[in-house]
Amino acid sequence: MAEEIFRSENITKRYANHLALDEVSITVEKQSIFGLLGPNGAGKTSLIRIINQITAPDSGTAYFNGEPLSPEHIGRIGYLPEERGLYKKMKVGEQALYLARLKGLEKRVALQRLKEWFVKFEIEGWWNKKVEELSKGMQQKIQFIITVLHEPELLIFDEPFSGFDPINTDLIKNEILALRDRGTTIIFSTHNMESVEELCDHIALIDNSKKILDGKLKDIRASHRSNTYKIGFRGGFQNLKKGLNGHALISEENEDEVNKAKIKLADGSSLNTLLQALIPHVELEFCTEEIPSIRDIFIEQVSVNKGR
Amino acid sequence: MGKIPLIIQREYLTRVTKKSFLVMSLLGPLLIAGMMSLVVWMGMAENENQKLIVVDDLNPAFSTLKSKGTQRIQFVYTDLSLDDAKAKLLESDFTGILYLPENVLNAKSAQLFFKKHPSSFVLRSIEKKVEGIVESLNLVQFGIDKEDFYKVKSTVTLHPILYSKSGEKQDDTKEKAYVGFAFGLVIYMFIFLYGVQVMRGVIEEKTSRIVEVIISSVKPFELMMGKIVGVALVGLTQIAIWVALTFGIMMIGQTAIYESNFGVDKVTEQMTPEMAKQLEAANAFNTKELIDENNIIFRIQWPQMIGWFLFFFLGGYLLYSALFAAIGSAVDSETDTQQFMLPVTMPLVFAYVMSIFIIENPEGPAAFWLSIIPFTSPIVMMVRVAMGNVQAWEMALSCTLLVGTFVFTVWLSGRIYRTGILMYGKKVSYKELWKWLWY
């Protein structure tokens, strides 16, 4: 197993009249992108704030690189909160420098790195602008730079793509992937399931203050296989039905040349048996497995949890 | 860790470089000095040139009331009757009639008819002139020697002197109390102005959503203290600029006014020798009063006063601004602050109002208690310090309580603050705040 950078053990956090986190344990591996998912109000932000030491857990322990989390680690963690903003009246460069120095960067180093990032994002001209003159997307760019500037080992992004157009979303996505490839670990919280599938190596699902699902993205998807296949074929549905042989037809799409259907395999059978049964009756064009999306798994798990 | 200084620096620089700070710094002293010189100037500018017809029923008793050239007040001695003069007044450029009735020497009263009300300065100088002539005429009439007269003539001033075990002392408590009150007023103003600035700053950080970014790098308490200290320095800078500029402007203003209005030649030119003598004596007396070591300016112990001012300013400011910071953290916008502002500003306003009464009764129990209770002491104690009747133990008690209380309010506010700044969209009640204290 790969080395861990962050681990929480049975963290519980209670606010005046509700339980925000209930015995939550997660382990984040080094140099991975960890998706922290869950419906609104599930407790994600509470967990993130504990990792950032903005609040402390009531019970349970958090570890950073194997050591109990302590204020020394603050400079090694970067955080882009969901509720984020900048001083409106302050100049962009001045402000970025200030926030970088609060993270413990030396002025000279901070200046040099800021210049590099400004060149990279082609925003050199913004240095002396006031923040209020920038659009929301522009401000988000600045915030992204500020978050990563001190080159933290662990980065926490809460909804990093909100407010970005598709071009800038891709720009940031690529930056995140590049950071991971250079050795940074990223905890990524979002409701945008597409980006989870694109980016995450590992996910944890929190609902109603409990962790209800945790694992590698590909393992989770594999374990949620529903043995359903989509096929394209020539020949009518009459013929197809003749060949089903115990497999269940879930949906049918009538089209001019190639019809499409979703079929769930009968228990204990394999794709081969389905195909063998179908081939005598219709002419197959294609066949793909219907892999559940993270979105489907999310919805399914949360509704199951509700029923519990 | 060196992060608090960084925060202080930002809070200080962003405020000091604002245009409004510059404007306030320049406008404040200009306003103060401007108001002062306006008072002086109005007294002088009002007396437009006066041209008076002198009607003398005792003709030629007052014939010395004659002036040549262009003086501020021109007397034109005539032998007109009052009725003729009245008729003439309305159709000429004369501004008034000085009427000296027959009984002027006994009744010691004369009349001035005017078209436009002259200033009290003009009235007084005419009075003085007539008085001088009446006096010398009466001296002749009663056969009194001038020198004897000046020996007899007396103006009595009453000097109240406080007598206590430590000996006698000039009783100037009221004058001193006003000086103390002025200091208290400055403290009151600045606690308000800068306390509210702290509150605004906290609200700004909260509504602009930058606060969560910052407190992932520094502790909420550090952010709060950095802001409070930074704003305090802004306040001190402002005070320093105001004091320096006000003095500067007043010095320049004084010289200018003196030179334009009391040019020596203008005054002496129209004076009889004895008047000049009198004036000289009066001048000597005035300067003597100015450099008199009993003058109020010299009786205030400035180093002590300024030392206590700084202490009570900082103590009071820390106490209140921490509370203002807590209020700022608990609300989403400035309009929601009202319900929490009242209990914080009440003691402050109360202390200010009470210190006016304390000037009248500086030894009473109200003065004592209000200068001990930390929520009112920064303002009230300044009045008492200026009067110099504070016992050492009273001062020690007041200071200890003030320090203890601001440590307490800073702690209290720190606890409300760290929860408050992360709470959005929630109408906060006192009950809620109480819960936050114990998170």
PDB file of all heavy atoms in Angstrom, chain B residues 6-33:
ATOM      1  N   LEU B   6       2.360  41.004  10.593  1.00  0.00           N
ATOM      2  CA  LEU B   6       1.974  41.096   9.186  1.00  0.00           C
ATOM      3  C   LEU B   6       0.538  41.592   9.048  1.00  0.00           C
ATOM      4  O   LEU B   6       0.220  42.421   8.193  1.00  0.00           O
ATOM      5  CB  LEU B   6       2.102  39.692   8.578  1.00  0.00           C
ATOM      6  CG  LEU B   6       2.473  39.572   7.120  1.00  0.00           C
ATOM      7  CD1 LEU B   6       3.789  40.246   6.836  1.00  0.00           C
ATOM      8  CD2 LEU B   6       2.540  38.097   6.734  1.00  0.00           C
ATOM      9  N   ILE B   7      -0.315  41.065   9.913  1.00  0.00           N
ATOM     10  CA  ILE B   7      -1.722  41.485   9.880  1.00  0.00           C
ATOM     11  C   ILE B   7      -1.840  42.942  10.311  1.00  0.00           C
ATOM     12  O   ILE B   7      -2.529  43.740   9.672  1.00  0.00           O
ATOM     13  CB  ILE B   7      -2.574  40.583  10.802  1.00  0.00           C
ATOM     14  CG1 ILE B   7      -2.538  39.145  10.285  1.00  0.00           C
ATOM     15  CG2 ILE B   7      -3.999  41.089  10.863  1.00  0.00           C
ATOM     16  CD1 ILE B   7      -3.111  38.144  11.237  1.00  0.00           C
ATOM     17  N   ILE B   8      -1.114  43.291  11.379  1.00  0.00           N
ATOM     18  CA  ILE B   8      -1.136  44.676  11.857  1.00  0.00           C
ATOM     19  C   ILE B   8      -0.708  45.604  10.729  1.00  0.00           C
ATOM     20  O   ILE B   8      -1.343  46.618  10.458  1.00  0.00           O
ATOM     21  CB  ILE B   8      -0.197  44.855  13.068  1.00  0.00           C
ATOM     22  CG1 ILE B   8      -0.716  44.042  14.256  1.00  0.00           C
ATOM     23  CG2 ILE B   8      -0.073  46.324  13.451  1.00  0.00           C
ATOM     24  CD1 ILE B   8       0.204  44.029  15.433  1.00  0.00           C
ATOM     25  N   GLN B   9       0.359  45.218  10.065  1.00  0.00           N
ATOM     26  CA  GLN B   9       0.888  46.039   8.979  1.00  0.00           C
ATOM     27  C   GLN B   9      -0.165  46.274   7.890  1.00  0.00           C
ATOM     28  O   GLN B   9      -0.369  47.386   7.427  1.00  0.00           O
ATOM     29  CB  GLN B   9       2.102  45.329   8.391  1.00  0.00           C
ATOM     30  CG  GLN B   9       2.904  46.185   7.450  1.00  0.00           C
ATOM     31  CD  GLN B   9       3.926  45.355   6.687  1.00  0.00           C
ATOM     32  OE1 GLN B   9       3.974  44.129   6.787  1.00  0.00           O
ATOM     33  NE2 GLN B   9       4.745  46.022   5.926  1.00  0.00           N
ATOM     34  N   ARG B  10      -0.851  45.194   7.513  1.00  0.00           N
ATOM     35  CA  ARG B  10      -1.849  45.351   6.465  1.00  0.00           C
ATOM     36  C   ARG B  10      -2.992  46.256   6.919  1.00  0.00           C
ATOM     37  O   ARG B  10      -3.416  47.170   6.216  1.00  0.00           O
ATOM     38  CB  ARG B  10      -2.436  44.008   6.038  1.00  0.00           C
ATOM     39  CG  ARG B  10      -3.270  44.102   4.763  1.00  0.00           C
ATOM     40  CD  ARG B  10      -4.254  42.976   4.604  1.00  0.00           C
ATOM     41  NE  ARG B  10      -5.478  43.254   5.338  1.00  0.00           N
ATOM     42  CZ  ARG B  10      -6.504  43.917   4.816  1.00  0.00           C
ATOM     43  NH1 ARG B  10      -6.485  44.326   3.597  1.00  0.00           N
ATOM     44  NH2 ARG B  10      -7.584  44.160   5.550  1.00  0.00           N
ATOM     45  N   GLU B  11      -3.486  45.967   8.125  1.00  0.00           N
ATOM     46  CA  GLU B  11      -4.607  46.755   8.634  1.00  0.00           C
ATOM     47  C   GLU B  11      -4.224  48.230   8.697  1.00  0.00           C
ATOM     48  O   GLU B  11      -5.013  49.108   8.375  1.00  0.00           O
ATOM     49  CB  GLU B  11      -5.013  46.275  10.037  1.00  0.00           C
ATOM     50  CG  GLU B  11      -5.515  44.843  10.090  1.00  0.00           C
ATOM     51  CD  GLU B  11      -6.834  44.670   9.367  1.00  0.00           C
ATOM     52  OE1 GLU B  11      -7.548  45.673   9.166  1.00  0.00           O
ATOM     53  OE2 GLU B  11      -7.149  43.523   8.979  1.00  0.00           O
ATOM     54  N   TYR B  12      -2.997  48.471   9.125  1.00  0.00           N
ATOM     55  CA  TYR B  12      -2.533  49.856   9.277  1.00  0.00           C
ATOM     56  C   TYR B  12      -2.375  50.524   7.915  1.00  0.00           C
ATOM     57  O   TYR B  12      -2.954  51.579   7.667  1.00  0.00           O
ATOM     58  CB  TYR B  12      -1.211  49.860  10.037  1.00  0.00           C
ATOM     59  CG  TYR B  12      -0.660  51.243  10.283  1.00  0.00           C
ATOM     60  CD1 TYR B  12      -1.185  52.034  11.300  1.00  0.00           C
ATOM     61  CD2 TYR B  12       0.372  51.746   9.517  1.00  0.00           C
ATOM     62  CE1 TYR B  12      -0.694  53.300  11.533  1.00  0.00           C
ATOM     63  CE2 TYR B  12       0.869  53.018   9.737  1.00  0.00           C
ATOM     64  CZ  TYR B  12       0.336  53.790  10.747  1.00  0.00           C
ATOM     65  OH  TYR B  12       0.811  55.039  10.966  1.00  0.00           O
ATOM     66  N   LEU B  13      -1.624  49.870   7.038  1.00  0.00           N
ATOM     67  CA  LEU B  13      -1.313  50.504   5.757  1.00  0.00           C
ATOM     68  C   LEU B  13      -2.554  50.726   4.900  1.00  0.00           C
ATOM     69  O   LEU B  13      -2.713  51.784   4.297  1.00  0.00           O
ATOM     70  CB  LEU B  13      -0.276  49.674   4.990  1.00  0.00           C
ATOM     71  CG  LEU B  13       1.129  49.742   5.576  1.00  0.00           C
ATOM     72  CD1 LEU B  13       2.087  48.879   4.771  1.00  0.00           C
ATOM     73  CD2 LEU B  13       1.628  51.182   5.631  1.00  0.00           C
ATOM     74  N   THR B  14      -3.462  49.735   4.858  1.00  0.00           N
ATOM     75  CA  THR B  14      -4.622  49.943   4.000  1.00  0.00           C
ATOM     76  C   THR B  14      -5.458  51.122   4.494  1.00  0.00           C
ATOM     77  O   THR B  14      -6.072  51.810   3.695  1.00  0.00           O
ATOM     78  CB  THR B  14      -5.549  48.705   3.935  1.00  0.00           C
ATOM     79  OG1 THR B  14      -5.810  48.263   5.246  1.00  0.00           O
ATOM     80  CG2 THR B  14      -4.941  47.605   3.113  1.00  0.00           C
ATOM     81  N   ARG B  15      -5.471  51.334   5.813  1.00  0.00           N
ATOM     82  CA  ARG B  15      -6.287  52.444   6.312  1.00  0.00           C
ATOM     83  C   ARG B  15      -5.589  53.784   6.157  1.00  0.00           C
ATOM     84  O   ARG B  15      -6.202  54.780   5.826  1.00  0.00           O
ATOM     85  CB  ARG B  15      -6.654  52.214   7.771  1.00  0.00           C
ATOM     86  CG  ARG B  15      -7.712  51.163   7.895  1.00  0.00           C
ATOM     87  CD  ARG B  15      -8.206  51.004   9.306  1.00  0.00           C
ATOM     88  NE  ARG B  15      -9.360  50.136   9.329  1.00  0.00           N
ATOM     89  CZ  ARG B  15      -9.301  48.825   9.210  1.00  0.00           C
ATOM     90  NH1 ARG B  15      -8.140  48.233   9.074  1.00  0.00           N
ATOM     91  NH2 ARG B  15     -10.395  48.098   9.229  1.00  0.00           N
ATOM     92  N   VAL B  16      -4.270  53.779   6.443  1.00  0.00           N
ATOM     93  CA  VAL B  16      -3.542  55.048   6.417  1.00  0.00           C
ATOM     94  C   VAL B  16      -3.394  55.570   4.994  1.00  0.00           C
ATOM     95  O   VAL B  16      -3.336  56.776   4.764  1.00  0.00           O
ATOM     96  CB  VAL B  16      -2.171  54.857   7.100  1.00  0.00           C
ATOM     97  CG1 VAL B  16      -1.283  56.048   6.869  1.00  0.00           C
ATOM     98  CG2 VAL B  16      -2.375  54.670   8.589  1.00  0.00           C
ATOM     99  N   THR B  17      -3.366  54.662   4.014  1.00  0.00           N
ATOM    100  CA  THR B  17      -3.189  55.128   2.640  1.00  0.00           C
ATOM    101  C   THR B  17      -4.515  55.455   1.965  1.00  0.00           C
ATOM    102  O   THR B  17      -4.527  55.885   0.821  1.00  0.00           O
ATOM    103  CB  THR B  17      -2.451  54.072   1.796  1.00  0.00           C
ATOM    104  OG1 THR B  17      -3.133  52.823   1.965  1.00  0.00           O
ATOM    105  CG2 THR B  17      -1.025  53.906   2.229  1.00  0.00           C
ATOM    106  N   LYS B  18      -5.603  55.243   2.684  1.00  0.00           N
ATOM    107  CA  LYS B  18      -6.900  55.599   2.105  1.00  0.00           C
ATOM    108  C   LYS B  18      -7.018  57.108   1.973  1.00  0.00           C
ATOM    109  O   LYS B  18      -6.509  57.852   2.805  1.00  0.00           O
ATOM    110  CB  LYS B  18      -8.021  55.128   3.044  1.00  0.00           C
ATOM    111  CG  LYS B  18      -8.677  53.856   2.596  1.00  0.00           C
ATOM    112  CD  LYS B  18      -9.905  53.600   3.446  1.00  0.00           C
ATOM    113  CE  LYS B  18     -10.281  52.149   3.426  1.00  0.00           C
ATOM    114  NZ  LYS B  18     -11.090  51.790   4.579  1.00  0.00           N
ATOM    115  N   LYS B  19      -7.752  57.535   0.961  1.00  0.00           N
ATOM    116  CA  LYS B  19      -7.946  58.978   0.787  1.00  0.00           C
ATOM    117  C   LYS B  19      -8.707  59.560   1.962  1.00  0.00           C
ATOM    118  O   LYS B  19      -8.420  60.654   2.431  1.00  0.00           O
ATOM    119  CB  LYS B  19      -8.722  59.239  -0.505  1.00  0.00           C
ATOM    120  CG  LYS B  19      -7.833  59.244  -1.721  1.00  0.00           C
ATOM    121  CD  LYS B  19      -8.550  59.839  -2.924  1.00  0.00           C
ATOM    122  CE  LYS B  19      -7.895  59.395  -4.204  1.00  0.00           C
ATOM    123  NZ  LYS B  19      -8.405  58.141  -4.746  1.00  0.00           N
ATOM    124  N   SER B  20      -9.674  58.804   2.469  1.00  0.00           N
ATOM    125  CA  SER B  20     -10.494  59.351   3.545  1.00  0.00           C
ATOM    126  C   SER B  20      -9.647  59.643   4.786  1.00  0.00           C
ATOM    127  O   SER B  20      -9.920  60.589   5.520  1.00  0.00           O
ATOM    128  CB  SER B  20     -11.631  58.391   3.888  1.00  0.00           C
ATOM    129  OG  SER B  20     -11.121  57.134   4.228  1.00  0.00           O
ATOM    130  N   PHE B  21      -8.610  58.837   4.997  1.00  0.00           N
ATOM    131  CA  PHE B  21      -7.741  59.094   6.152  1.00  0.00           C
ATOM    132  C   PHE B  21      -7.001  60.412   5.966  1.00  0.00           C
ATOM    133  O   PHE B  21      -6.921  61.239   6.866  1.00  0.00           O
ATOM    134  CB  PHE B  21      -6.738  57.953   6.332  1.00  0.00           C
ATOM    135  CG  PHE B  21      -5.788  58.160   7.482  1.00  0.00           C
ATOM    136  CD1 PHE B  21      -6.162  57.802   8.770  1.00  0.00           C
ATOM    137  CD2 PHE B  21      -4.540  58.710   7.296  1.00  0.00           C
ATOM    138  CE1 PHE B  21      -5.306  57.992   9.840  1.00  0.00           C
ATOM    139  CE2 PHE B  21      -3.677  58.910   8.352  1.00  0.00           C
ATOM    140  CZ  PHE B  21      -4.056  58.549   9.626  1.00  0.00           C
ATOM    141  N   LEU B  22      -6.489  60.600   4.763  1.00  0.00           N
ATOM    142  CA  LEU B  22      -5.755  61.825   4.461  1.00  0.00           C
ATOM    143  C   LEU B  22      -6.671  63.036   4.633  1.00  0.00           C
ATOM    144  O   LEU B  22      -6.314  64.035   5.259  1.00  0.00           O
ATOM    145  CB  LEU B  22      -5.244  61.744   3.020  1.00  0.00           C
ATOM    146  CG  LEU B  22      -4.174  62.750   2.649  1.00  0.00           C
ATOM    147  CD1 LEU B  22      -2.862  62.374   3.305  1.00  0.00           C
ATOM    148  CD2 LEU B  22      -4.009  62.801   1.136  1.00  0.00           C
ATOM    149  N   VAL B  23      -7.879  62.907   4.086  1.00  0.00           N
ATOM    150  CA  VAL B  23      -8.833  64.012   4.166  1.00  0.00           C
ATOM    151  C   VAL B  23      -9.160  64.326   5.626  1.00  0.00           C
ATOM    152  O   VAL B  23      -9.122  65.476   6.052  1.00  0.00           O
ATOM    153  CB  VAL B  23     -10.118  63.654   3.384  1.00  0.00           C
ATOM    154  CG1 VAL B  23     -11.201  64.681   3.642  1.00  0.00           C
ATOM    155  CG2 VAL B  23      -9.825  63.567   1.897  1.00  0.00           C
ATOM    156  N   MET B  24      -9.420  63.255   6.392  1.00  0.00           N
ATOM    157  CA  MET B  24      -9.741  63.454   7.811  1.00  0.00           C
ATOM    158  C   MET B  24      -8.574  64.103   8.541  1.00  0.00           C
ATOM    159  O   MET B  24      -8.757  64.990   9.373  1.00  0.00           O
ATOM    160  CB  MET B  24     -10.037  62.105   8.482  1.00  0.00           C
ATOM    161  CG  MET B  24     -11.468  61.653   8.362  1.00  0.00           C
ATOM    162  SD  MET B  24     -12.567  62.615   9.402  1.00  0.00           S
ATOM    163  CE  MET B  24     -12.371  61.743  10.962  1.00  0.00           C
ATOM    164  N   SER B  25      -7.358  63.648   8.208  1.00  0.00           N
ATOM    165  CA  SER B  25      -6.184  64.156   8.908  1.00  0.00           C
ATOM    166  C   SER B  25      -6.002  65.643   8.655  1.00  0.00           C
ATOM    167  O   SER B  25      -5.610  66.392   9.533  1.00  0.00           O
ATOM    168  CB  SER B  25      -4.926  63.422   8.446  1.00  0.00           C
ATOM    169  OG  SER B  25      -5.019  62.073   8.798  1.00  0.00           O
ATOM    170  N   LEU B  26      -6.287  66.072   7.418  1.00  0.00           N
ATOM    171  CA  LEU B  26      -6.113  67.483   7.092  1.00  0.00           C
ATOM    172  C   LEU B  26      -7.318  68.299   7.531  1.00  0.00           C
ATOM    173  O   LEU B  26      -7.187  69.409   8.032  1.00  0.00           O
ATOM    174  CB  LEU B  26      -5.907  67.643   5.586  1.00  0.00           C
ATOM    175  CG  LEU B  26      -4.636  67.018   5.037  1.00  0.00           C
ATOM    176  CD1 LEU B  26      -4.568  67.164   3.536  1.00  0.00           C
ATOM    177  CD2 LEU B  26      -3.415  67.659   5.687  1.00  0.00           C
ATOM    178  N   LEU B  27      -8.492  67.689   7.340  1.00  0.00           N
ATOM    179  CA  LEU B  27      -9.720  68.436   7.610  1.00  0.00           C
ATOM    180  C   LEU B  27      -9.934  68.658   9.101  1.00  0.00           C
ATOM    181  O   LEU B  27     -10.396  69.720   9.520  1.00  0.00           O
ATOM    182  CB  LEU B  27     -10.907  67.668   7.024  1.00  0.00           C
ATOM    183  CG  LEU B  27     -11.873  68.493   6.203  1.00  0.00           C
ATOM    184  CD1 LEU B  27     -11.132  69.234   5.111  1.00  0.00           C
ATOM    185  CD2 LEU B  27     -12.953  67.617   5.618  1.00  0.00           C
ATOM    186  N   GLY B  28      -9.579  67.640   9.898  1.00  0.00           N
ATOM    187  CA  GLY B  28      -9.797  67.735  11.347  1.00  0.00           C
ATOM    188  C   GLY B  28      -9.183  68.999  11.924  1.00  0.00           C
ATOM    189  O   GLY B  28      -9.900  69.870  12.435  1.00  0.00           O
ATOM    190  N   PRO B  29      -7.871  69.155  11.808  1.00  0.00           N
ATOM    191  CA  PRO B  29      -7.224  70.332  12.380  1.00  0.00           C
ATOM    192  C   PRO B  29      -7.694  71.624  11.722  1.00  0.00           C
ATOM    193  O   PRO B  29      -7.877  72.633  12.391  1.00  0.00           O
ATOM    194  CB  PRO B  29      -5.744  70.132  12.087  1.00  0.00           C
ATOM    195  CG  PRO B  29      -5.606  68.763  11.591  1.00  0.00           C
ATOM    196  CD  PRO B  29      -6.928  68.225  11.227  1.00  0.00           C
ATOM    197  N   LEU B  30      -7.934  71.563  10.410  1.00  0.00           N
ATOM    198  CA  LEU B  30      -8.420  72.761   9.731  1.00  0.00           C
ATOM    199  C   LEU B  30      -9.750  73.187  10.322  1.00  0.00           C
ATOM    200  O   LEU B  30     -10.011  74.367  10.520  1.00  0.00           O
ATOM    201  CB  LEU B  30      -8.583  72.495   8.234  1.00  0.00           C
ATOM    202  CG  LEU B  30      -7.333  72.711   7.395  1.00  0.00           C
ATOM    203  CD1 LEU B  30      -7.610  72.348   5.947  1.00  0.00           C
ATOM    204  CD2 LEU B  30      -6.894  74.170   7.495  1.00  0.00           C
ATOM    205  N   LEU B  31     -10.586  72.186  10.606  1.00  0.00           N
ATOM    206  CA  LEU B  31     -11.888  72.484  11.187  1.00  0.00           C
ATOM    207  C   LEU B  31     -11.729  73.110  12.566  1.00  0.00           C
ATOM    208  O   LEU B  31     -12.351  74.123  12.874  1.00  0.00           O
ATOM    209  CB  LEU B  31     -12.711  71.198  11.301  1.00  0.00           C
ATOM    210  CG  LEU B  31     -13.662  70.965  10.134  1.00  0.00           C
ATOM    211  CD1 LEU B  31     -14.213  69.560  10.194  1.00  0.00           C
ATOM    212  CD2 LEU B  31     -14.788  71.972  10.206  1.00  0.00           C
ATOM    213  N   ILE B  32     -10.871  72.477  13.374  1.00  0.00           N
ATOM    214  CA  ILE B  32     -10.680  72.985  14.739  1.00  0.00           C
ATOM    215  C   ILE B  32     -10.112  74.402  14.689  1.00  0.00           C
ATOM    216  O   ILE B  32     -10.682  75.340  15.257  1.00  0.00           O
ATOM    217  CB  ILE B  32      -9.707  72.073  15.522  1.00  0.00           C
ATOM    218  CG1 ILE B  32     -10.295  70.654  15.624  1.00  0.00           C
ATOM    219  CG2 ILE B  32      -9.463  72.641  16.918  1.00  0.00           C
ATOM    220  CD1 ILE B  32      -9.334  69.637  16.164  1.00  0.00           C
ATOM    221  N   ALA B  33      -9.001  74.532  13.945  1.00  0.00           N
ATOM    222  CA  ALA B  33      -8.355  75.835  13.867  1.00  0.00           C
ATOM    223  C   ALA B  33      -9.270  76.832  13.180  1.00  0.00           C
ATOM    224  O   ALA B  33      -9.366  77.998  13.583  1.00  0.00           O
ATOM    225  CB  ALA B  33      -7.039  75.718  13.098  1.00  0.00           C
TER     226      ALA B  33
END
